Amino acid sequence: MEAEAAFDVEDSRSNDELQELWPVGEIDPKRGRFPCCIVWTPLPVVSWLAPYIGHVGICQEDGSVLDFAGSNFVSMDNFAYGSVARYLQLDRKKCCFPANLGAHVCESTYKHTEVGTATSWDSTLQLGTRHFQHKYYNLFTCNCYSFVANCLNRLAHGGSAEWNVLNVAALVWLHGEWVDKMSVVRSFAPFVTVTCIGIFMAGWSFLIGLSAFCLLLIGWFVFAVYCTKGLVC
């Protein structure tokens, strides 16, 4: 009994040690450093029609950006499509870094183990990177949001291993912060310009067509994520 009690104390102590995290640096947009953040920037053409769609990445503890930028390619510290416009810093204390099955602090123990775990933020992101270095990029089935969702599942951020392209997008838009005022301008100015030109040239039918396009796009991802299994990465 004493041996078991000693083991429980030691195991509990080791679990606490796993949650002790080194402090990260400050967010520095001028240097492009966003430690432990999800970052977002508008996409050419696509964001002109649907400004809620953009390119996302996830950052290491030193602030360097990792993003799924093309087939079999995860870019490091070279964010595709321009500088960061919007960011959301995540709390590492809300993640799970287990050394073994018994060391999980999240509610999705078995799901988390199935997805893949690691003992630190950076090592978790490296696992996600290696996984997506063997993936083909497809805007509709395997994109940059898929990569970030995969990393969040490996981190079990918020105790969940059910992250997907839709709730990642919602997380960034509902809780993210703009880098500066110019980031807002370059994110929405093309959309406003295209909309004004479209209305001028085609009338209100342009707005109807644009609305239909946006609804079809959202509808596709809702269907692909929640009504099918394995269609979207």
Side-chain angles (χ1 to χ4, degrees):
M1 292 292 291
E2 292 180 1
E4 290 181 3
F7 176 82
D8 290 340
V9 171
E10 184 178 347
D11 185 60
S12 169
R13 193 174 299 161
S14 64
N15 289 350
D16 291 338
E17 289 172 356
L18 285 173
Q19 302 305 315
E20 292 180 5
L21 304 168
W22 291 100
V24 296
E26 296 292 327
I27 292 173
D28 187 353
K30 291 182 179 179
R31 295 178 55 243
R33 288 292 177 263
F34 298 85
C36 301
C37 289
I38 297 175
V39 292
W40 181 94
T41 195
L43 280 168
V45 183
V46 177
S47 296
W48 300 354
L49 300 174
Y52 52 86
I53 294 179
H55 183 68
V56 294
I58 189 167
C59 301
Q60 299 186 113
E61 290 174 313
D62 65 357
S64 55
V65 182
L66 298 173
D67 61 301
F68 185 44
S71 295
N72 308 315
F73 178 63
V74 176
S75 175
M76 180 176 178
D77 211 16
N78 186 23
F79 198 34
Y81 306 108
S83 59
V84 173
R86 194 170 176 83
Y87 67 91
L88 171 66
Q89 189 166 45
L90 303 178
D91 186 353
R92 290 175 298 165
K93 292 181 180 179
K94 293 182 179 180
C95 301
C96 179
F97 305 113
N100 53 64
L101 189 63
H104 278 267
V105 295
C106 63
E107 299 176 357
S108 309
T109 301
Y110 294 104
K111 177 69 174 177
H112 188 198
T113 303
E114 181 183 353
V115 171
T117 64
T119 56
S120 72
W121 178 279
D122 283 353
S123 59
T124 303
L125 265 55
Q126 289 303 318
L127 287 176
T129 296
R130 286 197 289 270
H131 179 71
F132 272 77
Q133 284 174 340
H134 303 282
K135 292 283 188 180
Y136 287 100
Y137 189 97
N138 186 299
L139 179 63
F140 299 103
T141 59
C142 189
N143 54 44
C144 54
Y145 288 88
S146 305
F147 170 66
V148 173
N150 182 271
C151 290
L152 292 183
N153 285 330
R154 292 175 186 273
L155 292 165
H157 177 66
S160 173
E162 300 291 340
W163 292 97
N164 56 58
V165 295
L166 289 175
N167 52 28
V168 166
L171 181 69
V172 174
W173 272 101
L174 294 176
H175 302 286
E177 299 180 36
W178 294 104
V179 170
D180 52 31
K181 292 180 180 179
M182 278 306 300
S183 297
V184 180
V185 172
R186 69 185 179 90
S187 297
F188 289 103
F191 170 73
V192 173
T193 302
V194 169
T195 301
C196 290
I197 293 174
I199 293 174
F200 176 75
M201 296 183 66
W204 293 107
S205 58
F206 175 81
L207 277 184
I208 297 173
L210 185 61
S211 299
F213 168 75
C214 292
L215 288 174
L216 284 172
L217 201 58
I218 295 172
W220 160 256
F221 283 109
V222 170
F223 170 78
V225 169
Y226 295 112
C227 301
T228 63
K229 186 177 181 180
L231 183 59
V232 176
C233 293

